[in-house]
Amino acid sequence: AQTVTQSQPEMSVQEAETVTLSCTYDTSENNYYLFWYKQPPSRQMILVIRQEAYKQQNATENRFSVNFQKAAKSFSLKISDSQLGDTAMYFCAFMKPLSTGTASKLTFGTGTRLQVTL
Amino acid sequence: KAGVTQTPRYLIKTRGQQVTLSCSPISGHRSVSWYQQTPGQGLQFLFEYFSETQRNKGNFPGRFSGRQFSNSRSEMNVSTLELGDSALYLCASRKQGTVSNTEAFFGQGTRLTVV
């Protein structure tokens, strides 16, 4: 079974600064997908960024980027130019496609609560 | 385009009762998954439905069940409620469930409280 570990329960960053959230995972699979989801107080999970394991290039979405280290099974999220609206719980998630090649369930870490301050 | 809609948003039930939660996926999405979120256990996968068939199931007791209708709307049912079933239940939809459509869109959840 796959496991996802987020070792930082809470983090704080000042507005406009950069923060990095850590995530490690354990799997014996070679083909899988990794995600960062954001859950603001509204409770709705929002996809922040996605990484395919077979791609060596780190994914980037505007102010959000990842550092994907496949051998180390590490998948950290960097938020640049932090904004007040980035305040939320951030979950790292793993997905192994089914043998049929279809998308499957997400395995989540325990989350990191990020507070962006003035 | 409407997002994933979950009803009701809040629910209070008594131990031993049963409850049905509803999820309407984004129009055109055929895959619906359910997750339970609690402070102690975090986010755990319950089950996934695709084209009215359960395709995957998490490690939950048989009191938890679900179904999907021909219009892709899904319901989950919990029978003989226990205090530990108090949680936020999240529904997520995907367009087709193929690996090329990996993004899961989540609803705002149903907060179930068992007293």
Side-chain angles (χ1 to χ4, degrees):
Chain A
Q2 289 76 31
T3 58
V4 178
T5 302
Q6 293 180 250
S7 58
Q8 305 154 312
E10 293 185 5
M11 293 196 72
S12 181
V13 63
Q14 286 192 318
E15 199 177 23
E17 296 296 306
T18 296
V19 63
T20 299
L21 309 184
S22 300
C23 172
T24 58
Y25 58 95
D26 186 25
T27 184
S28 57
E29 301 293 331
N30 191 49
N31 178 32
Y32 52 88
Y33 294 75
L34 295 163
F35 307 83
W36 278 98
Y37 276 89
K38 166 185 176 181
Q39 188 178 40
S42 68
R43 308 182 317 200
Q44 186 162 16
M45 300 281 277
I46 302 164
L47 178 66
V48 174
I49 201 164
R50 168 180 51 210
Q51 175 80 43
E52 293 90 339
Y54 63 86
K55 288 187 178 179
Q56 292 186 336
Q57 187 172 9
N58 290 322
T60 299
E61 287 287 343
N62 301 316
R63 299 182 295 107
F64 299 88
S65 62
V66 298
N67 182 3
F68 173 50
Q69 301 290 325
K70 191 172 184 179
K73 296 179 183 174
S74 170
F75 183 61
S76 61
L77 174 69
K78 185 171 83 171
I79 306 174
S80 303
D81 186 26
S82 297
Q83 301 175 359
L84 295 177
D86 295 333
T87 293
M89 279 289 286
Y90 286 81
F91 291 94
C92 178
F94 172 101
M95 186 195 74
K96 178 189 77 117
L98 296 175
S99 57
T100 52
T102 54
S104 184
K105 68 176 184 178
L106 293 164
T107 299
F108 288 92
T110 51
T112 296
R113 186 175 303 278
L114 177 67
Q115 180 72 47
V116 180
T117 59
L118 291 169
Chain B
K1 191 174 184 180
V4 179
T5 303
Q6 292 188 245
T7 56
R9 293 288 306 279
Y10 301 90
L11 206 48
I12 300 175
K13 289 286 188 178
T14 304
R15 268 183 303 175
Q17 287 187 314
Q18 74 163 20
V19 67
T20 299
L21 312 182
S22 178
C23 172
S24 293
I26 292 171
S27 178
H29 285 198
R30 295 165 60 191
S31 166
V32 174
S33 299
W34 289 88
Y35 293 83
Q36 181 196 64
Q37 185 175 19
T38 60
Q41 299 297 318
L43 281 149
Q44 293 187 289
F45 171 76
L46 281 156
F47 27 65
E48 180 195 7
Y49 287 87
F50 180 74
S51 292
E52 302 179 65
T53 301
Q54 187 181 85
R55 188 161 66 178
N56 204 353
K57 189 178 191 306
N59 188 26
F60 277 81
R63 300 186 297 107
F64 291 81
S65 63
R67 59 178 175 169
Q68 186 180 34
F69 302 95
S70 58
N71 62 357
S72 293
R73 188 177 71 86
S74 177
E75 288 181 348
M76 67 162 282
N77 185 77
V78 187
S79 62
T80 318
L81 284 165
E82 300 176 359
L83 295 179
D85 297 333
S86 295
L88 178 67
Y89 289 88
L90 292 167
C91 166
S93 76
R94 287 195 182 103
K95 192 170 186 180
Q96 289 187 40
T98 61
V99 75
S100 61
N101 289 294
T102 55
E103 181 170 0
F105 294 84
F106 284 81
Q108 289 188 283
T110 293
R111 170 77 66 187
L112 171 65
T113 302
V114 182
V115 298

